[in-house]
Amino acid sequence: MRIAVGGFMHESNTFSRSAADLDRFREGSLTYGAALVPVWREAHHEVGGFLEGAETYGFDVVPLAMAWATPSGPVADALFEHVSDALVTGVRMAQPDGVLVALHGAMVTPTYPDADAEILRRLRAAVGPNVPIAASLDFHGNVSPQMAETANVLVGYQTYPHVDQRARGRLAAQLLARAVKGEVKPVVHVAKPPLILNLLGQDTAREPMALLMRMAREAERAPQVLSVSVMAGFPYADVPEMGPSVIVVADGDRAKAKAVADELAAAMWNVREQLNVPCPTPAEAVARAVASQQHPVLLVDLGDNIGGGSAGDGTVLLAELMKQRAKGFIVALYAPEAVRVAKAVGVGGVLDGPLGGTDGMHGPPVTVRGVVRSLHEGKWVETEARHGGRRQNDQGHAAVLDLGDGSLVVLTSLRTPPFSLGQLTSLGIDPRGASAIVVKAAVAYKAAYAPIAGEVIEVDTPGLTAINPARFTYTRIRRPMYPLDVS
């Protein structure tokens, strides 16, 4: 039994002007053929789960290609064609018994608003109607019925932060192997309630999302039900399929798959109001942090959530911390030009000038004066299960700037989501000693940062990933859509 394994993953924020091109994927991960195996084999990622599944379920792996990039604006059409061609050409040459492919579910290109469905369509055309295809999907995938019509198996992550990726990859591998052997005949149904879930409500440890997850696990115990995936969707994509969904894979029973999916989608609709989470303003949040005795306080910069495609150089909370004379804080900013200046002045030198705010959407540039404490290559290895599942990490050349009073600004050359404490500890920083840490995320940081947090304050900051969907102008999504259209 020969199974082709590959992937093409990107979370595309259509409100961003920063396209994901070849350079962005090279900064992330772009491997072809056998080269993908050592990169992903040990990772807490679904591709690692696919590869583990080869031993567990007895199939030979035919590696195709694997492409991943930090979320940003839409994927460039040329890059999409390049990677898609690598996958399709690979399966045509391999003529496998089945295909395992890691997709995100919220990838957009200028030509294809539902790019993941287009990849599945091309793979299906390449292998024909009888070769099973199984795809893993990110919890934030904007899943379309077209995906269900093309793939035999769709399996989504069921944790946010995403710490179950490898396990979900193993499940996809198991179901595909069983389909190839003729043990099951999987069919898929996708139900989509008409609502937008803000990212805080998507936290799978927070009610009522936790309730929906318990209902999904219970539904999987029913006869003929092979897998149930509650999907939160990605609200920063202005595309027709934007929004949450429920995916059910059943053994040959389409009516059963539809009934289970529709029941869970109705349950999600019924708790829609509780899935919205209010947040304080930046001034209110920083005042609370300064007064808090539970250190470190995590200030969650929702509007500059790098994992959702934002700039990573938002200054709103840095400016407010400085305005309120906070001490002992840590802020990381994407600032490649400032890193170059820091390297030029050297350790012990003074950096005096503006930082951040390059796109005008996440606050204006903030002028700081600090001493360059250290310079770094910016790479580290994460050994624990963390959101995103990556083992090899790279924030680019980095500099640590000391502002005095124990406050530090970390300057990076690559946009780096705060998914691992290694981003700080690899620079010689002990995050436990900070009074406050700004994390440019929504929920994904929790797997790494929650264990050390004294208090967590989620902040309603402006930007490409603002928590309130009313801040955005949607022109292509389905309407009516809660909470934008409230009767």
Side-chain angles (χ1 to χ4, degrees):
M1 183 167 55
R2 301 170 71 249
I3 304 298
V5 170
F8 189 5
M9 304 182 68
H10 190 261
E11 188 173 79
S12 305
N13 186 321
T14 64
F15 299 103
S16 170
R17 297 186 292 271
S18 176
D21 56 14
L22 181 59
D23 288 340
R24 300 292 81 78
F25 277 85
R26 283 174 172 165
E27 291 171 357
S29 184
L30 184 59
T31 52
Y32 305 92
L36 75 81
V37 175
V39 172
W40 294 100
R41 180 169 45 207
E42 303 302 323
H44 294 282
H45 187 274
E46 58 264 45
V47 174
F50 293 168
L51 298 173
E52 182 182 336
E55 292 185 23
T56 306
Y57 307 114
F59 59 79
D60 296 324
V61 170
V62 182
L64 303 174
M66 176 60 193
W68 176 92
T70 298
S72 66
V75 172
D77 278 329
L79 187 281
F80 177 80
E81 295 297 334
H82 170 76
V83 178
S84 298
D85 183 65
L87 295 171
V88 171
T89 300
V91 295
R92 282 179 177 154
M93 293 178 64
Q95 297 185 336
D97 299 303
V99 179
L100 276 169
V101 60
L103 302 175
H104 185 283
M107 179 162 60
V108 178
T109 80
T111 300
Y112 299 108
D114 189 1
D116 300 276
E118 176 63 15
I119 292 170
L120 289 172
R121 186 193 69 78
R122 295 183 186 191
L123 288 172
R124 174 58 68 201
V127 300
N130 299 321
V131 174
I133 298 174
S136 62
L137 297 169
D138 190 287
F139 180 63
H140 295 110
N142 292 320
V143 186
S144 66
Q146 289 77 13
M147 295 183 201
E149 292 169 5
T150 309
N152 303 85
V153 173
L154 295 174
V155 172
Y157 313 158
Q158 294 295 270
T159 57
Y160 182 35
H162 308 328
V163 294
D164 66 339
Q165 290 173 250
R166 191 175 178 98
R168 299 304 277 180
R170 287 196 304 270
L171 175 60
Q174 178 197 58
L175 294 178
L176 182 72
R178 294 182 67 194
V180 171
K181 294 175 182 177
E183 297 174 359
V184 294
K185 296 180 179 179
V187 293
V188 188
H189 186 80
V190 174
K192 294 186 69 67
L195 66 151
I196 302 173
L197 300 185
N198 77 47
L199 264 69
L200 294 181
Q202 296 178 11
D203 184 344
T204 53
R206 190 194 305 247
E207 299 291 354
M209 182 56 75
L211 168 64
L212 296 174
M213 289 299 168
R214 292 193 295 273
M215 293 177 66
R217 303 290 76 76
E218 180 63 28
E220 287 177 327
R221 299 179 183 178
Q224 305 303 111
V225 176
L226 300 175
S227 172
V228 178
S229 300
V230 174
M231 308 291 282
F234 184 61
Y236 309 114
D238 185 15
V239 296
E241 300 301 337
M242 187 273 280
S245 59
V246 179
I247 307 168
V248 177
V249 183
D251 185 6
D253 191 338
R254 292 187 181 277
K256 181 71 171 182
K258 183 178 186 304
V260 173
D262 288 348
E263 181 179 359
L264 270 168
M268 184 183 292
W269 174 257
N270 290 338
V271 296
R272 63 191 180 279
E273 293 183 3
Q274 296 98 295
L275 287 166
N276 286 318
V277 181
C279 304
T281 66
E284 293 168 341
V286 170
R288 280 177 53 187
V290 170
S292 178
Q293 299 300 312
Q294 302 178 66
H295 296 165
V297 177
L298 302 184
L299 291 166
V300 185
D301 192 350
L302 296 170
D304 195 19
N305 171 12
I306 300 172
S310 69
D313 69 349
T315 58
V316 173
L317 289 177
L318 173 60
E320 194 62 43
L321 287 162
M322 295 171 65
K323 179 181 178 181
Q324 297 194 31
R325 301 183 183 278
K327 299 178 180 180
F329 61 79
I330 299 172
V331 177
L333 290 178
Y334 168 61
E337 182 55 39
V339 172
R340 285 191 283 271
V341 174
K343 290 168 70 176
V345 301
V347 174
V350 174
L351 190 151
D352 189 349
L355 292 177
T358 55
D359 65 4
M361 301 180 68
H362 303 84
V366 171
T367 298
V368 302
R369 178 181 174 83
V371 175
V372 178
R373 188 171 95 166
S374 57
L375 298 168
H376 305 267
E377 188 179 85
K379 296 182 179 180
W380 76 96
V381 174
E382 176 56 72
T383 59
E384 301 297 324
R386 296 290 182 251
H387 182 101
R390 297 192 73 194
R391 181 176 173 84
Q392 305 292 333
N393 292 271
D394 186 0
Q395 59 188 324
H397 286 189
V400 179
L401 193 63
D402 189 336
L403 303 187
D405 291 325
S407 295
L408 304 175
V409 175
V410 172
L411 309 173
T412 73
S413 298
L414 297 177
R415 292 167 54 248
T416 306
F419 296 166
S420 167
L421 289 178
Q423 182 180 15
L424 301 180
T425 58
S426 67
L427 309 180
I429 298 172
D430 180 3
R432 294 172 178 81
S435 64
I437 304 172
V438 172
V439 288
K440 293 180 175 297
V443 176
Y445 71 92
K446 286 188 175 182
Y449 281 82
I452 71 163
E455 182 178 356
V456 175
I457 304 174
E458 295 145 333
V459 194
D460 186 5
T461 50
L464 286 169
T465 55
I467 197 68
N468 184 355
R471 289 181 181 266
F472 302 95
T473 300
Y474 294 97
T475 62
R476 304 175 72 185
I477 64 173
R478 297 164 292 144
R479 304 299 283 262
M481 184 79 81
Y482 176 88
L484 298 177
D485 308 300
V486 180
S487 59

